Amino acid sequence: MLSPHSHMKIRVMPKTTESIRNLCKSTLYLFLTFVSPFILYRCIRFLSMYSSSSTSAPKTDAEILRRKRIEKSKLYFDITTPKVPPLAILPNWLVRMKVLSPFRRQVGGTILAAKLAKEQGWAINVGGGFHHCSSGRGGGFCAYADISLCIHFAFFRFTISRVMIIDLDAHQGNGHEMDFAGDGRVYILDMYNPDIYPFDLTARNYIKQKVEVATGTTTDGYLKELDKALRVARDNFAPELIIYNAGTDILDGDPLGGLKISPDGVAQRDEKVFRFARERNIPLVMVTSGGYMKTSARVVADSIINLSRKRLIDLSPRYGRR
């Protein structure tokens, strides 16, 4: 005979089991509701990838080349030290907003300047000149190759076939030199201090006209070298567009340039280049490139005012071709 307590257990247990069963069913249904779309998506994607891979043609030359570039890429490497670049520890949105977006706007300014120069005869982008960056890699403080992009844009949109780069930043312009290595359409006159960054010996082989000015070069010596260089360039090449990289890191006191050029010397330098272009009726794009002192902005502004006073550019609201 069962006791009252035993009888009670027989009556309660089925209800408890049924409640647990219902709870499990509800949980399973809820789980499947959320997970089923994901499982279905993965299955469809797998089937589509399998189908495309099974029916696709053999790899093209472009795909093979892309794979080789990926395999040789230096972006994938073993970390041997705990140190990382400073930007790597910053939030991505902050890097985009404070670093990359301003860079991209300057690149757009250089490309737009080429259009304006073609239409009006000259244009100045107060920025740009990222001449250490090539199509394949960045360098220095340069994340985007605005000079190379500007030239390719000009080739495509303006149907021109000859461009001269006059790079008078204190540093060698190794980025655009690598991009146009062996390209007869682009003539590079690079006047730089060989004793400072980037020490790119490979890129130096692709400079059409190399002018090296040693650390400590002063204004008079610098301008004499520039005069000779422009005469040689005039005899060697007839461009349809000039890209002038007008870095002010040649100034005396600049912490990275190593040269000793006065502010007036910078103004004379810019005047010589603009006169070189104007006398031959060649559209000119000027980008301001390097300059690592607070006084650089004032020097750039004074130089532009000087160009206007000498009637090499027209700063009036309604200006036409020179």
Side-chain angles (χ1 to χ4, degrees):
M1 179 180 292
L2 298 175
S3 67
H5 297 290
S6 300
H7 182 65
M8 185 178 296
K9 286 181 181 179
I10 293 173
R11 290 164 52 188
V12 173
M13 285 297 290
K15 293 183 179 180
T16 304
T17 303
E18 183 178 357
S19 299
I20 293 174
R21 185 182 299 113
N22 291 335
L23 179 62
C24 291
K25 287 182 179 180
S26 300
T27 304
L28 180 60
Y29 292 152
L30 184 63
F31 175 77
L32 291 175
T33 300
F34 285 101
V35 174
S36 294
F38 177 76
I39 296 174
L40 180 62
Y41 167 77
R42 298 297 294 182
C43 290
I44 294 174
R45 187 174 180 184
F46 173 78
L47 290 174
S48 63
M49 291 176 64
Y50 176 79
S51 176
S52 61
S53 63
S54 62
T55 60
S56 61
K59 290 184 173 62
T60 64
D61 292 341
E63 291 172 338
I64 294 173
L65 179 60
R66 188 180 304 114
R67 177 175 290 277
K68 289 181 178 179
R69 292 186 66 182
I70 292 173
E71 291 173 349
K72 293 180 180 179
S73 173
K74 296 181 180 179
L75 296 177
Y76 185 85
F77 56 92
D78 294 327
I79 302 296
T80 57
T81 67
K83 297 179 182 180
V84 294
L87 290 180
I89 64 176
L90 297 177
N92 185 47
W93 65 267
L94 184 62
V95 174
R96 289 202 313 270
M97 181 174 66
K98 295 297 185 180
V99 181
L100 298 181
S101 291
F103 276 165
R104 286 195 289 267
R105 284 193 287 270
Q106 292 183 60
V107 172
T110 301
I111 294 173
L112 177 60
K115 177 179 183 295
L116 294 174
K118 185 67 175 177
E119 296 171 354
Q120 308 291 345
W122 65 274
I124 299 173
N125 179 17
V126 188
F130 305 132
H131 65 159
H132 297 307
C133 185
S134 67
S135 61
R137 60 181 299 177
F141 301 121
C142 307
Y144 300 104
D146 66 317
I147 293 177
S148 298
L149 287 170
C150 172
I151 292 174
H152 284 298
F153 179 92
F155 283 152
F156 178 74
R157 297 299 295 269
F158 307 145
T159 63
I160 65 174
S161 58
R162 298 183 307 277
V163 175
M164 177 181 288
I165 300 173
I166 300 179
D167 195 335
L168 301 186
D169 187 274
H171 301 82
Q172 175 197 350
N174 59 321
H176 57 70
E177 289 159 7
M178 294 301 297
D179 279 342
F180 297 107
D183 192 331
R185 300 172 300 172
V186 179
Y187 184 95
I188 300 174
L189 162 57
D190 196 348
M191 187 168 170
Y192 62 94
N193 181 353
D195 303 324
I196 58 176
Y197 177 89
F199 308 107
D200 194 332
L201 301 180
T202 300
R204 290 182 190 180
N205 294 325
Y206 305 123
I207 303 174
K208 301 295 194 304
Q209 187 180 342
K210 177 171 57 178
V211 182
E212 297 184 342
V213 285
T215 298
T217 298
T218 57
T219 302
D220 290 342
Y222 182 91
L223 294 177
K224 288 178 182 178
E225 290 294 327
L226 178 59
D227 285 336
K228 291 190 292 185
L230 291 176
R231 286 195 296 268
V232 172
R234 177 194 60 198
D235 295 337
N236 287 346
F237 196 73
E240 298 170 287
L241 176 69
I242 293 175
I243 309 296
Y244 172 36
N245 199 45
T248 53
D249 50 3
I250 66 171
L251 282 167
D252 186 10
D254 189 278
L256 300 181
L259 303 178
K260 295 184 177 297
I261 313 304
S262 67
D264 183 63
V266 171
Q268 291 185 57
R269 176 200 68 173
D270 295 347
E271 182 180 333
K272 289 176 183 294
V273 175
F274 270 80
R275 197 174 299 280
F276 173 87
R278 178 170 182 175
E279 289 174 351
R280 292 155 186 79
N281 199 32
I282 304 169
L284 182 145
V285 174
M286 172 177 162
V287 290
T288 52
S289 198
Y292 308 99
M293 298 192 298
K294 291 182 178 179
T295 56
S296 290
R298 181 72 264 172
V299 172
V300 171
D302 288 342
S303 178
I304 293 173
I305 292 171
N306 177 66
L307 293 172
S308 178
R309 288 173 178 168
K310 298 295 177 63
R311 299 186 180 278
L312 294 170
I313 62 174
D314 186 355
L315 294 179
S316 60
R318 185 178 181 179
Y319 56 89
R321 189 173 179 83
R322 296 171 310 203

